């Protein structure tokens, strides 16, 4: 069982930046592909970014490409989401997720463990 805890959310003006962190309890964190998803009020959860176990490969949703960067530090059991040039439409609860088997994925159904989420609000 992997316990994931997100942090770093908050209120920011449009054009600003935030860095989200997701700390994992599992010492074998490096075995997991990781992903970030988000859910805005009244909308379905959507894919944001994913990274493979070693941090050498990543994939992004078109809506965030060029503005958001996913990275990981396996020594710290932590995955990060650096968000720059934020827009009001980025407002959502952001969730990190861990996938025990297989490579990175943009399908939420393929992830095994989820954090509780952290709120990001971007004001215009």
């Amino acid at each position: 069982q992997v316990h994931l805890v997100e942090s770093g959310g908050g209120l920011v003006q449009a054009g600003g930046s935030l860095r989200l962190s997701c700390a994992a309890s599992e010492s074998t964190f490096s075995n997991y592909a990781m992903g970030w998803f988000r859910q805005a009020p009244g909308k379905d959860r959507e894919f944001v970014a994913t990274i493979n176990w070693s941090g050498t490969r990543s994939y992004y949703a078109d809506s965030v490409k060029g503005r958001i960067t996913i990275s990981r530090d396996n020594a710290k059991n932590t995955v990060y989401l650096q968000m720059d040039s934020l827009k009001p439409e980025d407002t959502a609860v952001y969730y990190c997720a861990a996938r025990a088997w297989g490579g990175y994925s943009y399908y939420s159904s393929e992830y095994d463990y989820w954090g509780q989420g952290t709120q990001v609000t971007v004001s215009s």
Side-chain angles (χ1 to χ4, degrees):
Q1 184 75 18
V2 178
H3 185 55
L4 302 172
V5 179
E6 302 96 335
S7 62
L11 174 64
V12 64
Q13 289 187 333
S17 298
L18 283 175
R19 188 174 84 151
L20 306 184
S21 300
C22 173
S25 62
E26 179 60 52
S27 61
T28 57
F29 172 76
S30 61
N31 291 345
Y32 296 86
M34 299 296 295
W36 285 96
F37 294 79
R38 66 187 182 186
Q39 187 167 18
K43 294 188 177 181
D44 293 333
R45 188 171 298 187
E46 66 172 0
F47 166 74
V48 177
T50 182
I51 192 166
N52 70 338
W53 67 273
S54 63
T56 56
R57 295 185 178 183
S58 57
Y59 185 82
Y60 299 89
D62 287 343
S63 60
V64 305
K65 204 171 291 183
R67 301 187 297 117
I68 287 180
T69 303
I70 189 172
S71 62
R72 66 189 296 163
D73 185 340
N74 288 342
K76 296 182 178 179
N77 291 354
T78 302
V79 62
Y80 304 97
L81 193 70
Q82 177 66 43
M83 304 190 294
D84 301 313
S85 302
L86 284 163
K87 304 175 181 180
E89 50 263 45
D90 293 318
T91 295
V93 177
Y94 283 71
Y95 299 90
C96 72
R99 188 183 188 207
W101 300 101
Y104 64 52
S105 172
Y106 45 81
Y107 294 114
S108 60
S109 60
E110 294 184 348
Y111 286 82
D112 303 287
Y113 305 103
W114 292 82
Q116 293 300 305
T118 185
Q119 176 70 47
V120 171
T121 302
V122 184
S123 63
S124 57

